[in-house]
Amino acid sequence: METVDLLAGLGRVLAEGIVADRDFPPFARAARDGYAVRAADLAEVPAQLEVVGEVKAGDWPEPGVCSVGRGQAVGIMTGAPLPAGADAVVMVEHTSAWDQLSGQPAATLVEVLRTVRSGENFVPRGAEARSGQLLLDRGRRLDYASIAIAASVGKSRVQVFPKPRVAVLSTGDEVVDIDATPGPAEIRNSNSYSLAAQVQDAGGEPVRLGIAPDERGRLRALIEEGLRCDLLLLTGGVSMGKYDLVEQVLGELQAEFYFTGAEIQPGRPAVFGSCGARAPSPHRKYFFGLPGNPVSTMVTFELFARPMIEAQAGMAPRPLIFLRACLKAEIRTKTGLKRFLPAVLSGEFENAEVELARWQGSGDIATQARANCYIVIPPDRERIDAGEWVSLLMQ
Ligand code: AMP
Ligand code: MG
């Protein structure tokens, strides 16, 4: 458990429940600018009421000093406490104020033009929450709305769970560090960085272990190092190639595999398992072997690794929800695998439209960076027509 300043808690997971320290609102709170009245006085309108005072936000209308009797009204501003005797607020737009003697517009008499119901235009004390009520659960990830709640109950510091440490290991003889000048057949290690960014976004602490060559000894040493973290993410080396050694090396380390391969594209070769199966569960170390193609790495992270990191971060499980949007242009594809294809979501207000980004396959990060979501295509669909509604995985 850690205690952090409230704003430093953004994106962290609460290790404590947050409880209302008083009623919300703490007093019957005017929701409009106008006059606090007794609704029964306005059974017939227009009606004239005597203005006997004014309460602005921050004022406390002491009963006996400032209250509303029969035929009376008190000027009131949004956010101010409702004086005793009143049971409604009439909006200033529905009144006109007149001076009793001169007949000039002033503040001693108010003419009310519309009726109000008892209870209208104010929020009763405790209507939003009662003192002692749980407002945020332990396990809630702090977003701006929950920061507002914590602030409103005076929590300037909050208790959060520690972030899980997530090792990120790229593999491949062709992969070089981003500061190196790549040789003609080499490519820079973008996956370690995209994965580290995704880990951070999911609430984990990335630990980049660099690049393992396609060579057993070095790969094994780095995997063993990675298994000291809470979770290990590997990219590359899980396909069917002669030099795809990740599964073999994990096998040497007595890994237990929960799945080897998924019926999805991109991302089919992804594997998930743990080492130290006989150890009690906090000592068991989980890993994902994600395919090396950059878009495959990103998609499989979202589908499989993100929920795991969220669970390790102490977050309550939440369902994977696919939003839906209207397809702009027909899609033709092959059946057999569930597909996650980079796409561009556009449109305005309630008219969400989406179309595929034209990509060169799961290595094409240039197109993927222009996309902002993935269209999810069920495995049995060969063709989806323009105008159909499709599911989206947001980027
Ligand atoms: P693999 O899964 O090892 O067969 O790699 C599939 C493809 O992804 C190959 O074209 C690799 O060069 C590429 N790739 C593998 N690892 C990385 C990485 N860390 N960064 C960028 N591309 C990679
Ligand atoms: Mg490789």
Side-chain angles (χ1 to χ4, degrees), residues 170-171 174-175 187-192 235-237 239 244 291-294:
S170 286
T171 72
E174 78 283 27
V175 184
I187 51 145
R188 292 195 185 91
N189 175 16
S190 62
N191 285 353
S192 282
T235 91
S239 310
D244 289 327
N293 261 319

Side-chain angles (χ1 to χ4, degrees), residues 53 78 92 98 101 112 114 153 223 247 254 303 316 331 357 368:
T78 301
V92 70
W98 296 94
L101 298 174
V112 180
R114 296 205 196 167
V153 304
I223 287 179
E247 262 179 271
Q254 270 79 51
L303 293 176
I331 298 177
Q368 212 266 343

Side-chain angles (χ1 to χ4, degrees), residues 46-84:
Q48 290 201 333
L49 301 175
E50 182 194 0
V51 179
V52 296
E54 183 185 276
V55 224
K56 57 186 186 338
D59 287 348
W60 180 249
E62 208 58 65
V65 179
C66 179
S67 50
V68 179
R70 189 176 298 168
Q72 294 182 334
V74 165
I76 195 163
M77 312 301 146
T78 301
L82 195 73

